[in-house]
Amino acid sequence: MAKCTAVIDIGSNSMRMAVFQKTSRFSFHILHEVKSSVRLSEHAYKNDGYLQSAAMNRTAQAIGEFLSIARSFGARKLLCVATSALRDAPNAQEFISRIQREHNLSIKVIDGEKEAYLGAIACANLLPKMDALTVDVGGGSSEFAVLRNGKVETLYSLNIGTVRIKELFFDRNDLAGAVAYIDNALSALPDFGIDTFIGIGGTFRALTRALMKKENYPLKKLHAYTTDDVRFQTFAEQILQAGPKKLKSLYIKTDRFDTIKPGTLILQRILRHTRAQKLVCSGVGVREGVFLNDLLRNSAASFSANYNPSVRYLLDTYATHSNHGIQCSHLVKRLFDLLQAPLNLKTDYRHDLVIAAKLLPIGIGIRYYAYQRHSHNIAMSGLDYALSHTQIVLISHLLLFKKGSRSSSLIPRAGYGTLLPDNATVDALSAILWLSHILLAARINADTLSVHYIDGKLEIRGKHLYLAREQLRNIVLPKNLIVVFQE
């Protein structure tokens, strides 16, 4: 696979491109994203589905500039897919041939089930593992997929999209007709029996971003934001009742004003039909699905267990100077297993603690002095995939360290503290993490140390522990944890 790959997704309303760069076999990050509201399907639904000249002209112009951007990053592979706009249009081939002729770009028109699959594999790999229904509301259609045990099971595509509903009903002030049309389409779906709903697509992201601002949410990350059906439905109703001035006060961007209400209505009817109670926002979709489908083509479209592309990207980029973080992660597993019961820690924290240990040295890649703060900032910004917001905040916070201070004393007064566990848990996890760090202060291998928990004491045996003994005083240990060095 090319080291740098550009993926273009031509939708009915917007066209987007992401430029992905690999940092190792399966790790990657996004170098650039660009979006253009080309409105390729504008006025098409009023004209028997035919694409209109003005819409085709501006889309062709935007494609030319997208390709220029891709070349500027040295992209050696370019993948381009089109969805409802081109699969519905009787004159689609005219546009496809024009783009091939003018830009030497091959557009692959994918059917609705393929579109649903691509969005679903992006969610399956890049969100925390969960059984859920993925819902991608686009301009011309909406796609549905069932995720169970990390695998894509059932795929559906319905012709209900924001631009389609706008032109067929909202432009005529026919709200009742829109509701009837949407509900009739949804009647083709079975009872999925899943209470978690993953929202994909521009409308859901726009509503989520606005809701986060309205609620003053402490973390500026859209991907993996989670809410419940009551809060979302209440907000959706406010959107449907709002005029332009009110929409602005609800944090809806002006370029969404004409499609936000049709999109909101579609989502509202889907939620009522599926009876989902938990809503998760996906910042990834078809573009990431196209990239992953290519990247993981020999791996059943799935990362291996416990592989996290965000963590690997940070290690590839910022921790090339030593393997200290990896050694700490080996030791921290053993320490956690010994201390979990005495410190009253939930098993789930083991996974997060191991990631934090791996990331301990990433701040050194920026600057050694105050590297803990740099590690914290890099993790908070760079951890995106396959982690919940509470996990991201906990991992990032644990990377902060101040000699002689408890971790809980470093929680910012106004900020992400509400997403952290209780102070005793934070302090205990931090103590285990930084204990692993100082026990390996001589940069020795973790397997050279012997650790045992006996009679309320953590006994450490091994060579090269002079620095560890000296630095132990820098850590504030839980009151019921005593560390003893044995000869």
Side-chain angles (χ1 to χ4, degrees), residues 79-283:
L79 306 170
C80 179
V81 298
T83 53
S84 176
L86 289 181
R87 65 174 176 255
D88 289 349
N91 60 338
Q93 191 55 49
E94 172 190 333
F95 179 75
I96 293 169
S97 299
R98 172 183 174 179
I99 298 304
Q100 178 69 57
R101 183 176 62 254
E102 292 182 1
H103 298 296
N104 193 29
L105 175 67
S106 296
I107 299 174
K108 182 178 182 179
V109 180
I110 57 175
D111 62 27
E113 289 195 356
K114 184 68 171 182
E115 184 179 357
Y117 172 77
L118 292 171
I121 65 168
C123 293
N125 284 289
L126 302 178
L127 278 170
K129 289 290 184 285
M130 66 185 87
D131 290 351
L133 175 69
T134 67
V135 180
D136 186 353
V137 175
S141 64
S142 294
E143 278 64 47
F144 304 79
V146 174
L147 293 181
R148 293 188 197 274
N149 300 316
K151 301 296 182 183
V152 182
E153 286 193 352
T154 315
L155 303 168
Y156 292 89
S157 180
L158 302 178
N159 286 329
I160 46 174
T162 57
V163 178
R164 189 189 299 267
I165 297 301
K166 171 187 177 297
E167 294 192 359
L168 293 181
F169 300 101
F170 273 71
D171 286 354
R172 303 173 184 175
N173 293 317
D174 185 8
L175 181 62
V179 170
Y181 180 91
I182 295 167
D183 287 350
N184 181 62
L186 292 174
S187 67
L189 298 179
D191 183 355
F192 294 108
I194 296 177
D195 65 1
T196 299
F197 173 113
I198 298 176
I200 307 173
T203 296
F204 194 85
R205 286 195 293 269
L207 290 172
T208 299
R209 185 179 291 107
L211 182 58
M212 290 169 68
K213 289 183 178 179
K214 183 174 181 289
E215 296 184 343
N216 198 27
Y217 187 69
L219 195 62
K220 293 183 179 180
K221 281 184 182 287
L222 199 63
H223 187 60
Y225 170 82
T226 302
T227 187
D228 59 65
D229 61 319
V230 175
R231 283 192 292 169
F232 189 87
Q233 290 281 33
T234 299
F235 187 62
E237 195 59 40
Q238 290 178 317
I239 294 294
L240 289 172
Q241 299 297 325
K245 187 175 181 179
K246 182 64 175 177
L247 284 176
K248 191 172 183 180
S249 71
L250 291 172
Y251 305 103
I252 300 299
K253 295 181 180 179
T254 54
D255 63 353
R256 285 272 175 191
F257 277 10
D258 62 338
T259 58
I260 195 66
K261 290 188 177 184
T264 300
L265 181 65
I266 293 168
L267 285 165
Q268 186 184 68
R269 304 311 296 181
I270 292 172
L271 281 171
R272 290 183 180 181
H273 181 83
T274 61
R275 301 186 300 279
Q277 297 177 331
K278 178 182 177 182
L279 284 73
V280 180
C281 182
S282 173

Side-chain angles (χ1 to χ4, degrees), residues 417-432:
T418 55
L419 297 176
L420 286 169
D422 61 90
N423 287 353
T425 298
V426 170
D427 290 337
L429 292 172
S430 178
I432 295 174

Side-chain angles (χ1 to χ4, degrees), residues 16 52 187 274 291 307 347 368 373 380 387 423-424 466:
R16 302 169 186 265
Q52 303 300 294
S187 67
T274 61
F291 175 74
Y307 184 88
T347 303
Y368 175 77
R373 177 165 49 83
M380 189 70 84
L387 296 167
N423 287 353
Y466 174 82

Side-chain angles (χ1 to χ4, degrees), residues 122-129 223-224 303 306-311 351-352 355 383-389 391-392 395:
C123 293
N125 284 289
L126 302 178
L127 278 170
K129 289 290 184 285
H223 187 60
F303 290 117
N306 297 320
Y307 184 88
N308 186 299
S310 285
V311 174
H351 172 263
D352 304 336
I355 291 178
L383 288 176
D384 286 311
Y385 299 141
L387 296 167
S388 69
H389 284 191
Q391 288 178 297
I392 291 170
I395 292 165

Side-chain angles (χ1 to χ4, degrees), residues 50-67:
Y50 281 86
L51 301 177
Q52 303 300 294
S53 295
M56 289 191 286
N57 288 340
R58 59 178 176 258
T59 304
Q61 185 175 354
I63 285 174
E65 296 189 14
F66 276 27
L67 295 177

